[in-house]
Amino acid sequence: MTQPFARSADRFIESKGLRLRVRDYGAGRPLLLVNGLGGYIEGWQALADELPGRRLIAVDHPGTGRSQVPDCLMTIPALSGLYLEVIDRLGVEAFDVMGYSFGGLIAQQLAKDHPDRVRSMVLAATVCGWGGFPADPLAALILANPLLYRSTVVHELCAPLLYRGRVGRNPRLLRSELRGWNGPRGSMLGLLFQLTAGATWSSLPWLCRLTMPTLVLGGEEDPLAPMANARLLAARIPNAELRVVDRGGHLFPIDRAKDVGPLITEFLDRHLEAATA
């Protein structure tokens, strides 16, 4: 079977003076996929398989995967501008955006800064930054462990406490269907920059100004973005709807892709039909 998110679609684009790896695959309405902390393009494979009939665009964050490490900290607004520049280089005008975990911060910033470009938004396993509900302390401590990003063995051992949900109950999934999520994550400096950017940002003061249709997805068992954060986002964003993933951990967009993909597809298709009616 042909993989819908094939590496053959990779290219390198310069944005904000950085050489970034970009995957641009398929045809149809563009959906920008913005990954989590240290996440790289291959990690999207399981979900991409469940999002047929779309043009999927993903980027390795600066300092992650095969993208260049920045010389200094890039704030969330700076990363938002970087992503928009990539979109411009690809000749895309309006697009949908899905932000997962750390990527949800960038998606929210994109929606605030460029409401004329972002048609609809999906926020999965993410938070509003300052003013939100904190992560489980042990999971947060594990997330800051450098070995997590260097050793696939450590990653698998930490999965029950770090992610919970399906992969927490069966960490061996990281060797099989989720192996795209279990490789080296890039430079430690790049990861430190991402951690710092997320820790110094908040969307809470302006969430009420985001008017595009928004789907908020929360995992019932998520230790890093507890369910209360999804409820907060859905309550503050005017045109948001909330869906709870039963027994979902932090990796539910990936380890529950067969359940989550249809939710995203239905939401995007419904709002496309409403916009063109």
Side-chain angles (χ1 to χ4, degrees):
M1 182 179 70
T2 301
Q3 294 296 325
F5 208 45
R7 180 171 290 185
S8 60
D10 284 3
R11 58 190 292 189
F12 286 87
I13 292 177
E14 186 168 311
S15 175
K16 306 297 182 186
L18 297 171
R19 189 170 185 264
L20 305 174
R21 182 174 65 138
V22 178
R23 187 166 297 182
D24 180 10
Y25 186 90
R29 181 164 165 145
L31 174 61
L32 174 65
L33 301 170
V34 190
N35 219 329
L37 179 75
Y40 53 109
I41 287 172
E42 283 77 9
W44 286 113
Q45 182 68 66
L47 182 61
D49 288 348
E50 306 301 325
L51 298 173
R54 301 183 190 282
R55 181 181 179 184
L56 300 176
I57 301 167
V59 183
D60 280 343
H61 293 310
T64 299
R66 296 171 65 193
S67 287
Q68 184 179 344
V69 182
D71 293 329
C72 59
L73 171 69
M74 297 189 72
T75 63
I76 298 299
L79 289 167
S80 165
L82 177 144
Y83 267 84
L84 190 74
E85 190 170 309
V86 168
I87 286 290
D88 288 340
R89 296 285 179 89
L90 294 174
V92 173
E93 183 58 34
F95 58 96
D96 303 309
V97 61
M98 175 180 175
Y100 163 61
S101 192
F102 173 76
L105 281 56
I106 299 171
Q108 292 169 66
Q109 189 73 49
L110 269 169
K112 171 184 176 284
D113 294 344
H114 306 284
D116 56 326
R117 306 284 297 275
V118 177
R119 291 187 286 202
S120 64
M121 178 167 58
V122 179
L123 300 174
T126 193
V127 300
C128 69
W130 281 101
F133 295 86
D136 176 272
L138 182 55
L141 185 64
I142 293 170
L143 191 69
N145 181 355
L147 287 176
L148 182 72
Y149 308 97
R150 287 285 178 256
S151 168
T152 56
V153 174
V154 171
H155 192 198
E156 186 175 319
L157 288 172
C158 290
L161 294 172
L162 181 64
Y163 298 129
R164 297 183 192 159
R166 181 171 175 246
V167 76
R169 290 184 286 274
N170 183 10
R172 291 187 178 184
L173 290 172
L174 290 168
R175 302 182 196 177
S176 54
E177 64 184 81
L178 304 182
R179 59 185 177 274
W181 190 257
N182 202 30
R185 300 299 184 88
S187 81
M188 293 311 302
L189 182 60
L191 289 163
L192 177 62
F193 283 160
Q194 290 173 41
L195 279 167
T196 305
T200 56
W201 175 90
S202 178
S203 62
L204 194 59
W206 43 261
L207 282 175
C208 59
R209 290 156 45 193
L210 303 182
T211 58
M212 65 285 298
T214 300
L215 174 64
V216 180
L217 296 167
E220 191 178 47
E221 300 177 0
D222 190 341
L224 290 172
M227 189 62 220
N229 289 284
R231 299 190 190 281
L232 175 61
L233 288 168
R236 296 283 291 179
I237 299 173
N239 293 322
E241 54 190 85
L242 173 67
R243 299 296 294 268
V244 179
V245 179
D246 180 53
R247 301 187 74 200
H250 192 64
L251 273 188
F252 72 79
I254 312 300
D255 66 16
R256 295 280 298 279
K258 291 187 181 299
D259 299 318
V260 172
L263 296 178
I264 296 170
T265 295
E266 187 277 331
F267 167 79
L268 294 176
D269 288 348
R270 172 161 40 93
H271 288 286
L272 173 60
E273 292 171 3
T276 56

